[in-house]
Amino acid sequence: MMLESTHFEGLRGTQAMRAGLARYTTWRVGGPADFLYLPADRDDLASFVRQTRTHGPPTVIGLGSNLLVRDGGVRGPVVVLHNPGAALAVADSLVYADAGVASPKLARFAAMHGCAEAEFLAGIPGTVGGALAMHAGCYGGETWRHVARVEVLLANGTFAVRTPADYAIGYRSVMRADGTPADGIFTAAWFRFPQGDGSAARLRIKTLLQKRIATQPLGLPNAGSVFRNPSGDHAARLIESCGLKGRTRGGAQVSTKHANFIVNARGAARAADIEALIEEVQEVVARKTGVRLEAEVRIVGEAA
Ligand SMILES: Cc1cc2nc3c(=O)[nH]c(=O)nc-3n(C[C@H](O)[C@H](O)[C@H](O)COP(=O)(O)OP(=O)(O)OC[C@H]3O[C@@H](n4cnc5c(N)ncnc54)[C@H](O)[C@@H]3O)c2cc1C
């Protein structure tokens, strides 16, 4: 049964049917969600999850910066958790962040409050929820290294508080400690950062962002590194060594600036172009080097 807005009671967020998802992903591609929901806050999200339980867990989008939504879109409920009004606070020496806070905002907030080691988050253009789900990291920093606890909204619509001991954390991978996939939706996190010099942290953020601008194709729609780095090597090096820099498929192109990025070069790519290019890169790199690159970006939805 298709979801209709008339099915809900007491929701305070924004809802839309057959809503295009391209605007919710940094690649700017993707078909519609059957039913899109932007919750007002965590309790509103819980109410939505309880009322849509029979349709299965919703597909979650933060800032869509690590996500390829196929052209046919996503069946069932989709929730977008990025919320510019999401809360940040300092309490009991921990930094609290709602999952919908943008990670760069958390980095600046932590620096402003004299914390060190949160600077890397300035270079990760997703939400805190996305950083938790992906165990995002760069320049030696990694999200879960600083997590004291998280709040998770479970499929039955209730909240649980968990600690890092409840998870098996690996390179861009977050599983439950028993090896099953991480369940539920991250709704908040409490971070423990060491005390540091706020102005030094702000300077490090500036330097880090300058480095990113110099090395990444940030002027074109992209989703960061497409492939995980294989053990002891770099996906970008392997892709470049196979002569794939600049390779195109429809509107998608292996960036000429950074070989592990695929860009939506003229803003006209389809998700199918990007997915075909991902597969072509995997095939060529495997044939020429023997290394099978694994996608770091998550692919959801149906082909058109
Ligand atoms: C220019 C650029 C540079 C990047 N650089 C880096 C980098 O240096 N290091 C790095 O690690 N990543 C990098 N990324 C990738 C991306 O920014 C991170 O993976 C980021 O943490 C994703 O956050 P998001 O909110 O955009 O998640 P989305 O892309 O919206 O979602 C990613 C996955 O997380 C899940 N998810 C999102 N929010 C939640 C939640 N609240 N609860 C449960 N699951 C959730 C989604 O369902 C999906 O499976 C880069 C991306 C870009 C565009």
Side-chain angles (χ1 to χ4, degrees), residues 62 99 103 126-136 186:
S103 295
T127 59
V128 166
L132 293 168
M134 295 303 306
H135 187 33
F186 293 111

mmCIF file of all heavy atoms in Angstrom, residues 62 99 103 126-136 186:
data_model
loop_
_atom_site.group_PDB
_atom_site.id
_atom_site.type_symbol
_atom_site.label_atom_id
_atom_site.label_comp_id
_atom_site.label_asym_id
_atom_site.label_seq_id
_atom_site.Cartn_x
_atom_site.Cartn_y
_atom_site.Cartn_z
ATOM 1 N N GLY A 62 21.234 11.962 4.981
ATOM 2 C CA GLY A 62 21.706 13.106 5.765
ATOM 3 C C GLY A 62 21.848 14.271 4.803
ATOM 4 O O GLY A 62 20.885 14.933 4.430
ATOM 5 N N ALA A 99 21.927 14.490 15.216
ATOM 6 C CA ALA A 99 22.441 13.814 14.013
ATOM 7 C C ALA A 99 22.322 14.695 12.769
ATOM 8 O O ALA A 99 23.083 14.542 11.821
ATOM 9 C CB ALA A 99 21.690 12.508 13.796
ATOM 10 N N SER A 103 28.567 18.167 9.729
ATOM 11 C CA SER A 103 29.850 17.879 10.394
ATOM 12 C C SER A 103 30.787 19.096 10.439
ATOM 13 O O SER A 103 31.447 19.328 11.465
ATOM 14 C CB SER A 103 30.547 16.694 9.717
ATOM 15 O OG SER A 103 29.775 15.530 9.898
ATOM 16 N N GLY A 126 29.053 16.184 5.219
ATOM 17 C CA GLY A 126 27.827 15.444 5.515
ATOM 18 C C GLY A 126 27.288 15.855 6.870
ATOM 19 O O GLY A 126 27.697 16.868 7.453
ATOM 20 N N THR A 127 26.366 15.042 7.385
ATOM 21 C CA THR A 127 25.818 15.284 8.722
ATOM 22 C C THR A 127 26.567 14.447 9.757
ATOM 23 O O THR A 127 27.286 13.494 9.410
ATOM 24 C CB THR A 127 24.332 14.871 8.784
ATOM 25 O OG1 THR A 127 24.250 13.477 8.447
ATOM 26 C CG2 THR A 127 23.477 15.695 7.844
ATOM 27 N N VAL A 128 26.315 14.760 11.012
ATOM 28 C CA VAL A 128 26.883 13.951 12.097
ATOM 29 C C VAL A 128 26.348 12.516 11.998
ATOM 30 O O VAL A 128 27.099 11.544 12.160
ATOM 31 C CB VAL A 128 26.544 14.595 13.465
ATOM 32 C CG1 VAL A 128 26.818 13.635 14.613
ATOM 33 C CG2 VAL A 128 27.333 15.889 13.634
ATOM 34 N N GLY A 129 25.058 12.362 11.676
ATOM 35 C CA GLY A 129 24.488 11.017 11.521
ATOM 36 C C GLY A 129 25.192 10.232 10.428
ATOM 37 O O GLY A 129 25.506 9.047 10.589
ATOM 38 N N GLY A 130 25.471 10.908 9.309
ATOM 39 C CA GLY A 130 26.180 10.257 8.207
ATOM 40 C C GLY A 130 27.610 9.899 8.599
ATOM 41 O O GLY A 130 28.133 8.846 8.216
ATOM 42 N N ALA A 131 28.249 10.779 9.379
ATOM 43 C CA ALA A 131 29.627 10.500 9.825
ATOM 44 C C ALA A 131 29.648 9.290 10.761
ATOM 45 O O ALA A 131 30.573 8.472 10.723
ATOM 46 C CB ALA A 131 30.210 11.729 10.526
ATOM 47 N N LEU A 132 28.608 9.159 11.593
ATOM 48 C CA LEU A 132 28.521 7.988 12.485
ATOM 49 C C LEU A 132 28.281 6.720 11.675
ATOM 50 O O LEU A 132 28.908 5.687 11.909
ATOM 51 C CB LEU A 132 27.376 8.171 13.496
ATOM 52 C CG LEU A 132 27.548 9.270 14.540
ATOM 53 C CD1 LEU A 132 26.223 9.515 15.269
ATOM 54 C CD2 LEU A 132 28.646 8.913 15.546
ATOM 55 N N ALA A 133 27.360 6.811 10.683
ATOM 56 C CA ALA A 133 27.014 5.616 9.893
ATOM 57 C C ALA A 133 28.193 5.146 9.055
ATOM 58 O O ALA A 133 28.362 3.952 8.820
ATOM 59 C CB ALA A 133 25.816 5.924 9.000
ATOM 60 N N MET A 134 29.009 6.105 8.579
ATOM 61 C CA MET A 134 30.119 5.773 7.671
ATOM 62 C C MET A 134 31.447 5.615 8.397
ATOM 63 O O MET A 134 32.441 5.248 7.800
ATOM 64 C CB MET A 134 30.292 6.889 6.621
ATOM 65 C CG MET A 134 29.144 7.068 5.659
ATOM 66 S SD MET A 134 28.758 5.576 4.736
ATOM 67 C CE MET A 134 30.342 5.171 4.010
ATOM 68 N N HIS A 135 31.502 5.982 9.678
ATOM 69 C CA HIS A 135 32.776 6.146 10.382
ATOM 70 C C HIS A 135 33.701 7.018 9.513
ATOM 71 O O HIS A 135 34.817 6.629 9.137
ATOM 72 C CB HIS A 135 33.433 4.798 10.690
ATOM 73 C CG HIS A 135 34.659 4.907 11.551
ATOM 74 N ND1 HIS A 135 34.801 5.859 12.515
ATOM 75 C CD2 HIS A 135 35.818 4.179 11.573
ATOM 76 C CE1 HIS A 135 35.969 5.727 13.085
ATOM 77 N NE2 HIS A 135 36.609 4.716 12.539
ATOM 78 N N ALA A 136 33.176 8.196 9.182
ATOM 79 C CA ALA A 136 33.894 9.113 8.292
ATOM 80 C C ALA A 136 35.200 9.571 8.923
ATOM 81 O O ALA A 136 35.311 9.669 10.153
ATOM 82 C CB ALA A 136 33.012 10.322 7.984
ATOM 83 N N PHE A 186 20.736 6.874 13.745
ATOM 84 C CA PHE A 186 21.452 7.698 14.730
ATOM 85 C C PHE A 186 20.716 9.035 14.839
ATOM 86 O O PHE A 186 20.477 9.691 13.818
ATOM 87 C CB PHE A 186 22.895 7.940 14.292
ATOM 88 C CG PHE A 186 23.733 6.690 14.283
ATOM 89 C CD1 PHE A 186 24.179 6.136 13.102
ATOM 90 C CD2 PHE A 186 24.072 6.063 15.479
ATOM 91 C CE1 PHE A 186 24.944 4.979 13.091
ATOM 92 C CE2 PHE A 186 24.839 4.896 15.485
ATOM 93 C CZ PHE A 186 25.281 4.357 14.287
#
